[in-house]
Amino acid sequence: MKLRALTFSVVLLLSFGINAQTELECKTKLSIFHEAVKAKKYDAAYEPWLFVKNNCPDLNLAIYADGEKILKHKIENSKDEVQLSFVYAMLDLWILRNEHFKSDTPQGEFNAKACQLQYDYKDELGKTTSELFECFDNAFNSDKETFTHPKSLYTYFSLMVELFDAGKKSSAELFDNYDDVSEKIEVEIQNYSEKLNALVAKIDNGSRLTGSEENKKRAYESYLKNYTLIQNNMNVIADKRAKCENLIPLYTKDFETHQNDSIWLKRSVSRMYHKDCTDDDLYEALVKQYDKVAPSADTKVYIATLLFKKGKDNEALEYLEKAGELETRPYNKANILFRIGAILKEKRQYSKARNYLSEALKLNPSNGKPHLYIAEMYKESAKDKNCGKDNFHQRAVYWLAVEEAQKASRVDPTLQSSVKAYVESYLAKAPTKEEIFLSGLAGKTLKIGCWINRSIKVPTID
């Protein structure tokens, strides 16, 4: 018995010594690969990283953060079976990370990464469209909050479109997926817009951003640009497949079943509104039911559009104002005010439209679209005799339009190409250098009348 106990103790001590030695080696190699990764020497980092991952998988989160960078480099710089082995290694790494650092591994984010990697190498992995869609669908529905990457959101929707076009998904499934992804994108746009607004407000108050804040500002603008891009692309794709002749029978068939489902009603009304299917009696029925089931700022706007179509402008404006009062969240309120301004612009009620658009800018200054709408209204008024005493003064309004349009690109990088086109168009119609010279007004400030009631400085001649 004594011999057996002694043997057990020796084995235990040896085991303890081996474990201690392995842990020490892991810590040493952790430092080696971490420094190599910081220097972007990924090949040099691979072997020490692999040892630590295999022997001490719970030692440090850097095993997985750095490991992702190492394997990404390996995948991008290898081919055929070797490349495929690194793809599998990356997928296994994310599974291992979830086992050892679950609280630091958001399910939606990392499941989406895994799906995206399989999509990027779908031919090599032999993945079908249906398999990939199921992967993204499970990731999205298991943790929608952290499923945020623009590329993965777009891939998720594009796979649904492929299945729809192949006759494997119905129109209802396509539109539901479009709504799910669109609403998620809207949440992210709101999130980054609000973060950017805080920095824009700091700049507007005359303060300088710190280096960290400048980096954040660039990151927020980049995300907003990417989200806007995929949102626009999704709209183009959906618009080709969502036509009034398709939507009306679909929503008519499902109306009775979903008439008390506020989400279904909201999506149906929104799609018919944006596809200009508002002349059909179904639209009015949907709007009224939506307002009955879940009255909100949105429902008031939709009712207002119905009233405008019936020529009841004053009643419609009352509903629009009520919509603005009901919404209290700054970002959402800004969207309501913007929609009101856009409607009033179309009704050529420019002064009221500008008031609403200006209020929208105060609440969401990083959205440049209100600036473009105001610029467009200035352009439309450039030939109005009430705005200037002669042709020169009237056309000076185009400079004001340019000034307003340029504000849009300064606050909203997603509008740069649009602003460039607007500015070129306005400048082509403004007084020429020769006309400025002959007028004798170079460098002077002109008062513009009519509803505009603004001043503009005449450009100097070089």
Side-chain angles (χ1 to χ4, degrees), residues 36-269:
V37 168
K38 285 201 292 185
K40 297 184 179 181
K41 296 179 179 179
Y42 301 115
D43 289 325
Y46 180 70
E47 288 300 333
W49 166 78
L50 192 61
F51 178 89
V52 179
K53 178 185 77 73
N54 291 340
N55 292 280
C56 311
D58 59 351
L59 180 62
N60 193 291
L61 188 59
I63 297 168
Y64 303 95
D66 289 349
E68 198 169 317
K69 296 174 185 176
I70 293 168
L71 289 176
K72 181 181 178 184
H73 169 81
K74 289 291 189 181
I75 291 170
E76 291 174 350
N77 292 277
S78 57
K79 295 180 181 179
D80 303 326
E81 289 80 6
V82 175
Q83 184 185 61
L84 202 56
S85 71
F86 288 126
V87 170
Y88 281 121
M90 183 76 91
L91 296 171
D92 289 339
L93 181 70
W94 289 326
I95 294 171
L96 196 64
R97 172 177 173 143
N98 186 58
E99 290 176 7
H100 294 284
F101 292 91
K102 190 174 183 66
S103 62
D104 293 304
T105 310
Q107 197 171 2
E109 177 186 347
F110 281 87
N111 285 350
K113 281 185 177 184
C115 296
Q116 188 65 53
L117 184 62
Q118 291 175 76
Y119 176 83
D120 292 340
Y121 293 91
K122 59 186 177 186
D123 294 335
E124 293 85 348
L125 294 167
K127 293 291 182 180
T128 66
T129 302
S130 294
E131 288 173 331
L132 290 167
F133 176 78
E134 286 303 313
C135 183
F136 278 98
D137 195 48
N138 290 333
F140 185 80
N141 290 306
S142 66
D143 182 13
K144 193 181 300 185
E145 185 177 348
T146 66
F147 189 122
T148 61
H149 199 282
K151 182 180 179 181
S152 293
L153 285 166
Y154 185 72
T155 303
Y156 177 36
F157 173 69
S158 67
L159 287 166
M160 167 59 83
V161 173
E162 282 186 46
L163 292 171
F164 171 78
D165 288 345
K168 296 179 180 179
K169 294 289 182 182
S170 67
S171 296
E173 288 173 311
L174 173 66
F175 299 147
D176 282 345
N177 180 262
Y178 169 84
D179 289 328
D180 286 337
V181 178
S182 293
E183 287 167 10
K184 177 59 182 173
I185 291 171
E186 278 298 323
V187 168
E188 295 306 316
I189 288 176
Q190 177 177 348
N191 174 38
Y192 285 106
S193 293
E194 289 174 347
K195 290 179 178 179
L196 184 58
N197 286 342
L199 298 179
V200 170
K202 185 174 180 179
I203 295 170
D204 289 343
N205 289 332
S207 301
R208 294 188 64 178
L209 299 181
T210 64
S212 174
E213 288 173 331
E214 286 285 1
N215 290 336
K216 287 179 179 178
K217 182 173 180 289
R218 282 192 290 272
Y220 300 157
E221 289 173 342
S222 176
Y223 270 109
L224 285 171
K225 186 174 183 178
N226 288 332
Y227 282 123
T228 302
L229 178 63
I230 66 170
Q231 188 178 52
N232 291 340
N233 287 343
M234 283 176 58
N235 288 340
V236 170
I237 293 169
D239 284 350
K240 290 179 180 178
R241 294 158 179 82
K243 299 178 181 178
C244 294
E245 55 264 35
N246 297 332
L247 294 176
I248 292 169
L250 174 66
Y251 294 147
T252 299
K253 178 174 68 71
D254 294 342
F255 183 36
E256 186 174 349
T257 303
H258 299 288
Q259 60 181 314
N260 293 312
D261 183 342
S262 60
I263 294 175
W264 184 87
L265 289 166
K266 176 184 178 181
R267 290 177 170 185
S268 303
V269 169

